[in-house]
Amino acid sequence: MAENSALTSTTGSTSLADSSIFDLKVTETSKENLFIGSTSDVEEEMPQIETRVILVQEAGKQEELIKALKEIKVPFVKMESVEEFKSLDSPEFENVFIVMDFQDSVFNELYKTDCRVIGPPVVLNCAQKGEPLPFSCRPLYCTSMMNLVLCFTGFRKKEELVRLVTLVHHMGGVIRKDFNSKVTHLVANCTQGEKFRIAVSLGTPIMKPEWIYKAWERRNEQDFCASFDEFRNEFKVPPFQDCILSFLGFSDEEKTNMEEMTEMQGGNSLPVGDERCTHLIVEENIVKELPFEPSKKLYVVKQEWFWGSIQMDARAGETMYLYEKANTPELKKSVSLLSLNTPNSNRKRRRLKETLAQLSRETDMSPFPPQTPKSCTKSSKNSTPVPSKQSARWQVARELYQTESNYVNILTTIIQLFQVPLEEEGQRGGPILAPEEIKTIFGSIPDIFDVHTKIKDDLEDLIVNWDESKSIGDIFLKYSKDLVKTYPPFVNFFEMSKETIIKCEKQKPRFHAFLKINQAKPECGRQSLVELLIRPVQRLPSVALLLNDLKKHTAEENPDKSTLEKAIGSLKEVMTHINEDKRKTEAQKQIFDVVYEVDGCPANLLSSHRSLVQRVETISLGEHPCDRGEQVTLFLFSDCLEIARKRHKVIGTFRSPHGQTRPPASLKHIHLMPLSQIKKVLDIRETEDCHNAFALLVRPPTEQANVLLSFQMTSEELPKENWLKMLCRHVANTICKADAENLIYTADPESFEVNTKDMDSTLSRASRAIKKTSKKVTRAFSFSKTPKRALRRALMTSQSSVEGRSPSSNDKHVMSRLSSTSSLAGIPSPSLVSLPSFFERRSHTLSRSTTHLI
């Protein structure tokens, strides 16, 4: 393509030289040199000569035109032919000719004699604005391109270029031969060349030639301007004009979407490998090697070039987005590298402990190195060694700080990566979204960010200078009023924000491309803007849970105990301001169904801010939380994991006080685990002895060692990969981390001694049945299982009723029933068993080096 179009002048035609020459030139009259030198000379001599309008032929018959001339008080005469001009010419007047058609012979004759010629729209526009007639050294039909500076590129046919330049001059535009910062529009006949690249970099609108032709067709519209966005956007050069794209490494859904976007943006698409393709778009995270050797003419670019071009509304330069084959090994190493392939069982156990310890170290989320609280490092006067074990209160406080820091980082990502660029002035291609749309989407996010930044700073100071007596509750009480102001406006209108994002993404391709580019960045952790914006909705309930946990591990004599209660109350006050209608009743119904299905399910599972995400049927592969081979059901909620086993014996149906009959509970509660305690999710590789298995690395705040839960999925409806990703996403949400993928590790089953061999065999089922029977027999003959306190209470009751006489057989029966009832009363409900006691009951198993289970 020709980069610079030649501009020449010919006799009897419009001069196509740079308009800057004509901007300084003033037409000389044939009789007197009235205008000599610069524009300042013109202004000095203009008052001596009166301007007179000559209405040529049809123009003299336009009543509207005559009325406009009278309004601006300009004398006028009518002229039917050019021959009459000699009789009308006078040195006392500067004649301005009004011609209806710039294509007829009269116009050409006047133009050859260097007469000032204007069109009717110019007069009507001046009358409407109350301005004098403009001075122009060229024929000026209308002012629809007034103040526009155009440059041309890619035109090979001189006749077409001459025609376009002439029309621009007739509409008041200015032409520049070389592209510079003063150029307002580039008219391009191709998408290559230096001018095109400069225009893209400066954000200058790049227009099709049709823009000029269509503007000329509307030359008689009085209020029309060629730079109106609504009109101009119809004729912008689309980003993929002259481009034929192919896509490699994308899913079928993504590929279909990108092909549709390509057509919308003026391009075409063909299968990978077609020689006609100009660009190959590669998903760089999937494709490690091209299936063929690309030709030199083919641009092989990353998908960011595709979305960046749509966002800029212009074809981006390919050199910045070229795809390069990755020669470096994967940064993430599989846990299988730590596999234990030694016959020595002691070494295997030691290596297993090292593996779990390494995973634990990699899980550490703290922005600063682990520190020991001051209370643990102070040396006493008598030099008694202080235990290095960190208190449970400090560990929960540290987790509170870590999640707060992560939450502030996510808010920073939302503001810096999405809100600020959308609000920025001077965006290439114009604003992506309207200001009201931006306000609807982000709402009070900046205010929430300011409050939590202060909370994070205060928590950091407290953790670094830790002392058991320091108050955490005071921090949240200090900012409770700010939380009340900032949260309800955002949470109440979150659904509107979500709907606005979905609507704009469908209707505005540039916004869709903007989201695609930014959501692929590491800061987002491959999460969508909607998924990031839901974090403020989830944050306050998470903080309330952590403060509750902190209160449990705070001594009664600690002043922070009562302060924490007040802080929790202040958070509840904030949550009561949130519109109750926003709660999802269906999600609450599902939680109630779980409570009724699981015998002994904790009452605190019921929460208005909690929702059931997924139910998964599994088999336990370890000795805990129940025997190997037990059927275990996992209920994944938005912030916790309920673990229940299948009941061995189901007792009768339950009848409510209202007479409604419910089916008996088919599951038995084992443990309700906060998702924040899950440090790693292990994807166990498929082998002959291990199928559909996974494990969870867990560490509660009161324990120093890591424990492992291993399961085998039995349901085929949900693929294991999808389940693990879903689990990791909600764990990341709970701990306010964006990179959920870092929670998943791939491991060999030998590394953690996990296998599913013979889980469904008849021999295995018989062995498990014998084991259960032996436990029942042991319990039946165990005299140590009877609670002494309950037995003593039963005996005292019977003795008071008998008053010293020897019991009869009937009395013995009553004593037996009382003892039985009292013993049941003395056994704590599983729902009331706290996490520490759950581990204490199994402390003898934690000493084992395998540490497989809780």
Side-chain angles (χ1 to χ4, degrees):
M1 293 292 179
E3 175 55 35
N4 295 323
S5 305
L7 304 179
T8 58
S9 61
T10 56
T11 306
S13 63
T14 304
S15 176
L16 302 182
D18 195 321
S19 296
S20 58
I21 300 174
F22 292 99
D23 292 342
L24 301 175
K25 178 181 177 182
V26 181
T27 306
E28 298 179 354
T29 61
S30 57
K31 293 186 177 181
E32 296 184 15
N33 295 331
L34 299 178
F35 305 102
I36 303 175
S38 65
T39 307
S40 60
D41 298 330
V42 177
E43 293 176 352
E44 292 177 0
E45 299 184 17
M46 279 292 291
Q48 302 175 7
I49 302 175
E50 185 178 1
T51 300
R52 181 178 65 178
V53 171
I54 300 178
L55 302 172
V56 181
Q57 294 177 346
E58 292 297 323
K61 302 176 182 179
Q62 303 295 321
E63 294 296 332
E64 185 181 10
L65 197 56
I66 295 173
K67 180 181 178 181
L69 290 171
K70 291 180 180 180
E71 290 179 2
I72 60 177
K73 299 178 181 180
V74 176
F76 63 90
V77 294
K78 299 180 181 180
M79 185 182 76
E80 291 297 330
S81 63
V82 180
E83 288 75 14
E84 297 180 20
F85 172 63
K86 294 181 179 180
S87 60
L88 295 174
D89 192 15
S90 171
E92 299 177 0
F93 298 101
E94 180 197 358
N95 296 311
V96 178
F97 296 85
I98 299 181
V99 180
M100 295 293 295
D101 186 4
F102 274 26
Q103 304 296 325
D104 60 14
S105 58
V106 176
F107 169 79
N108 292 331
E109 291 293 332
L110 293 173
Y111 178 72
K112 289 178 182 179
T113 56
D114 292 330
C115 296
R116 283 183 61 189
V117 183
I118 61 176
V122 175
V123 179
L124 297 176
N125 187 56
C126 290
Q128 182 182 20
K129 297 180 180 180
E131 298 175 351
L133 294 176
F135 177 84
S136 176
C137 59
R138 298 189 189 86
L140 181 65
Y141 187 86
C142 64
T143 57
S144 57
M145 282 194 173
M146 190 67 72
N147 300 323
L148 299 187
V149 182
L150 276 64
C151 186
F152 291 83
T153 184
F155 291 87
R156 288 192 171 186
K157 295 181 180 180
K158 178 180 176 181
E159 296 77 10
E160 182 183 9
L161 183 60
V162 169
R163 174 65 177 161
L164 290 170
V165 171
T166 301
L167 294 180
V168 171
H169 287 157
H170 288 348
M171 292 183 284
V174 178
I175 306 297
R176 289 288 184 268
K177 181 179 180 180
D178 298 321
F179 192 95
N180 56 42
S181 58
K182 294 182 179 179
V183 173
T184 60
H185 296 79
L186 176 68
V187 182
N189 204 32
C190 71
T191 56
Q192 297 178 352
E194 183 180 358
K195 291 182 181 179
F196 187 90
R197 290 286 156 236
I198 296 175
V200 171
S201 63
L202 295 178
T204 304
I206 304 173
M207 311 303 298
K208 298 178 182 178
E210 289 79 3
W211 174 56
I212 298 174
Y213 291 127
K214 291 295 181 181
W216 179 248
E217 290 178 5
R218 300 179 62 176
R219 60 188 179 277
N220 290 314
E221 297 181 20
Q222 192 169 332
D223 297 324
F224 171 73
C225 180
S227 60
F228 286 160
D229 289 340
E230 185 176 355
F231 173 76
R232 183 182 62 181
N233 290 341
E234 296 180 20
F235 304 100
K236 278 188 175 181
V237 173
F240 302 134
Q241 179 174 301
D242 304 331
C243 297
I244 302 176
L245 312 182
S246 57
F247 303 93
L248 180 64
F250 300 93
S251 65
D252 293 340
E253 183 180 356
E254 288 178 317
K255 183 179 178 182
T256 302
N257 176 44
M258 296 175 81
E259 288 175 348
E260 292 175 354
M261 295 288 290
T262 301
E263 293 183 6
M264 289 174 58
Q265 302 299 324
N268 295 301
S269 58
L270 288 173
V272 174
D274 195 299
E275 295 181 354
R276 293 171 291 176
C277 290
T278 59
H279 294 75
L280 174 62
I281 317 300
V282 178
E283 167 54 280
E284 62 275 15
N285 297 318
I286 303 259
V287 178
K288 302 305 178 184
E289 189 172 352
L290 297 179
F292 63 94
E293 185 67 27
S295 64
K296 295 182 179 180
K297 296 181 179 180
L298 180 67
Y299 288 108
V300 182
V301 293
K302 296 181 285 188
Q303 62 171 327
E304 190 177 354
W305 174 85
F306 179 84
W307 298 115
S309 297
I310 297 177
Q311 180 188 331
M312 293 189 302
D313 205 17
R315 177 177 163 184
E318 291 83 1
T319 53
M320 295 177 59
Y321 305 97
L322 292 177
Y323 169 80
E324 296 179 0
K325 181 180 177 181
N327 294 320
T328 57
E330 291 289 333
L331 296 178
K332 293 183 179 179
K333 295 184 178 180
S334 173
V335 183
S336 60
L337 295 176
L338 302 171
S339 60
L340 313 178
N341 296 321
T342 169
N344 190 313
S345 60
N346 292 329
R347 291 181 62 189
K348 289 177 66 176
R349 292 170 183 172
R350 185 170 62 255
R351 292 284 298 276
L352 178 59
K353 293 176 70 174
E354 292 174 357
T355 301
L356 296 178
Q358 179 173 344
L359 287 177
S360 177
R361 287 193 296 271
E362 293 174 356
T363 309
D364 187 14
M365 302 172 296
S366 177
F368 49 84
Q371 301 183 31
T372 304
K374 287 186 176 180
S375 59
C376 297
T377 57
K378 292 180 180 178
S379 57
S380 59
K381 293 182 179 180
N382 55 8
S383 301
T384 303
V386 180
S388 60
K389 181 177 179 180
Q390 300 164 348
S391 68
R393 173 176 161 83
W394 184 86
Q395 291 196 34
V396 177
R398 183 167 173 265
E399 182 180 353
L400 176 63
Y401 167 73
Q402 289 170 347
T403 57
E404 188 68 19
S405 178
N406 295 336
Y407 179 57
V408 170
N409 290 339
I410 287 177
L411 293 177
T412 303
T413 298
I414 293 173
I415 294 173
Q416 297 297 330
L417 212 60
F418 294 95
Q419 185 175 4
V420 171
L422 288 173
E423 292 177 339
E424 192 175 32
E425 296 182 359
Q427 299 176 31
R428 296 177 182 176
I432 296 176
L433 293 180
E436 57 271 16
E437 292 171 332
I438 298 174
K439 180 63 178 176
T440 302
I441 291 174
F442 297 99
S444 58
I445 284 290
D447 300 327
I448 295 175
F449 170 76
D450 292 338
V451 176
H452 281 275
T453 300
K454 297 174 183 176
I455 294 175
K456 187 208 78 169
D457 293 341
D458 289 355
L459 286 173
E460 182 175 350
D461 181 68
L462 184 143
I463 294 295
V464 172
N465 304 289
W466 176 257
D467 189 275
E468 289 290 334
S469 62
K470 293 220 171 176
S471 176
I472 297 176
D474 283 337
I475 296 176
F476 289 91
L477 288 176
K478 177 181 177 182
Y479 298 104
S480 60
K481 292 183 179 179
D482 295 327
L483 295 175
V484 172
K485 291 179 183 178
T486 56
Y487 268 92
F490 179 83
V491 177
N492 287 343
F493 294 97
F494 172 72
E495 290 299 324
M496 185 182 298
S497 170
K498 180 179 176 181
E499 292 171 1
T500 304
I501 294 173
I502 295 173
K503 182 190 71 174
C504 292
E505 191 172 6
K506 288 181 179 179
Q507 298 178 354
K508 302 186 177 184
R510 292 182 61 211
F511 180 62
H512 177 72
F514 172 81
L515 293 180
K516 281 287 187 180
I517 292 172
N518 290 290
Q519 288 169 179
K521 293 181 179 178
E523 301 94 304
C524 290
R526 292 187 172 274
Q527 292 186 89
S528 66
L529 178 58
V530 173
E531 290 173 326
L532 292 174
L533 286 174
I534 203 174
R535 297 302 180 83
V537 180
Q538 301 170 336
R539 182 55 187 166
L540 291 186
S542 300
V543 173
L545 288 174
L546 286 170
L547 291 183
N548 266 312
D549 198 13
L550 193 65
K551 189 180 73 171
K552 292 179 184 177
H553 299 291
T554 302
E556 292 293 337
E557 62 274 11
N558 195 324
D560 196 29
K561 186 87 170 183
S562 58
T563 309
L564 283 170
E565 291 181 357
K566 294 178 182 178
I568 295 169
S570 69
L571 288 179
K572 290 181 178 179
E573 181 184 353
V574 176
M575 289 184 278
T576 56
H577 283 75
I578 297 174
N579 194 340
E580 299 292 336
D581 296 336
K582 300 297 181 183
R583 298 178 179 178
K584 298 181 179 179
T585 56
E586 184 61 28
Q588 296 303 304
K589 180 180 178 298
Q590 291 177 341
I591 297 180
F592 273 103
D593 292 340
V594 173
V595 172
Y596 288 127
E597 186 180 2
V598 179
D599 181 29
C601 186
N604 59 6
L605 179 66
L606 295 171
S607 173
S608 58
H609 300 281
R610 180 176 292 136
S611 59
L612 178 63
V613 178
Q614 186 66 47
R615 172 179 179 155
V616 177
E617 302 294 336
T618 67
I619 295 177
S620 175
L621 298 180
E623 297 179 0
H624 304 282
C626 54
D627 295 334
R628 175 178 168 84
E630 287 268 12
Q631 296 182 21
V632 178
T633 301
L634 304 179
F635 296 94
L636 175 61
F637 292 88
S638 53
D639 62 344
C640 61
L641 183 69
E642 165 66 13
I643 305 175
R645 65 168 175 82
K646 187 177 180 180
R647 295 191 64 167
H648 302 147
K649 183 179 180 180
V650 179
I651 36 185
T653 58
F654 169 77
R655 182 174 293 275
S656 70
H658 302 287
Q660 297 177 343
T661 302
R662 295 189 179 277
S666 60
L667 301 173
K668 183 71 175 178
H669 168 74
I670 298 179
H671 183 47
L672 179 62
M673 179 192 304
L675 294 182
S676 59
Q677 294 179 9
I678 299 177
K679 304 306 179 183
K680 292 292 178 185
V681 177
L682 304 182
D683 183 6
I684 308 299
R685 297 184 191 275
E686 295 292 316
T687 64
E688 291 183 1
D689 296 334
C690 191
H691 299 286
N692 229 18
F694 68 96
L696 305 178
L697 182 70
V698 181
R699 184 175 183 180
T702 56
E703 295 295 323
Q704 296 295 316
N706 301 302
V707 291
L708 201 69
L709 302 170
S710 54
F711 305 93
Q712 179 189 21
M713 295 181 64
T714 58
S715 175
E716 297 180 357
E717 298 177 359
L718 178 66
K720 183 178 72 169
E721 181 182 3
N722 295 355
W723 155 246
L724 296 182
K725 286 183 178 180
M726 184 187 307
L727 176 61
C728 288
R729 172 57 57 211
H730 284 84
V731 172
N733 290 347
T734 303
I735 63 177
C736 291
K737 291 284 285 184
D739 48 345
E741 293 179 353
N742 288 342
L743 293 172
I744 297 183
Y745 271 70
T746 303
D748 290 328
E750 297 83 5
S751 302
F752 298 93
E753 302 176 3
V754 175
N755 71 80
T756 62
K757 188 176 181 180
D758 298 329
M759 288 300 296
D760 297 324
S761 66
T762 304
L763 181 61
S764 178
R765 287 194 295 269
S767 174
R768 291 196 297 269
I770 293 171
K771 190 175 182 180
K772 293 174 188 175
T773 304
S774 64
K775 285 188 175 181
K776 292 179 181 179
V777 172
T778 304
R779 284 196 295 267
F781 287 92
S782 175
F783 295 96
S784 63
K785 296 297 181 181
T786 305
K788 295 180 180 180
R789 188 177 301 175
L791 182 59
R792 189 183 301 113
R793 188 164 55 247
L795 289 172
M796 291 175 62
T797 304
S798 65
Q799 287 174 359
S800 62
S801 62
V802 176
E803 296 181 352
R805 62 182 176 87
S806 59
S808 63
S809 61
N810 186 45
D811 293 334
K812 291 179 180 179
H813 177 66
V814 171
M815 288 173 60
S816 175
R817 293 188 62 185
L818 287 172
S819 176
S820 172
T821 306
S822 300
S823 65
L824 287 174
I827 299 175
S829 169
S831 64
L832 301 178
V833 176
S834 64
L835 187 61
S837 62
F838 178 84
F839 280 90
E840 286 170 7
R841 293 201 308 270
R842 294 159 174 79
S843 59
H844 66 284
T845 63
L846 294 177
S847 62
R848 298 174 56 187
S849 58
T850 54
T851 58
H852 255 138
L853 229 294
I854 294 176

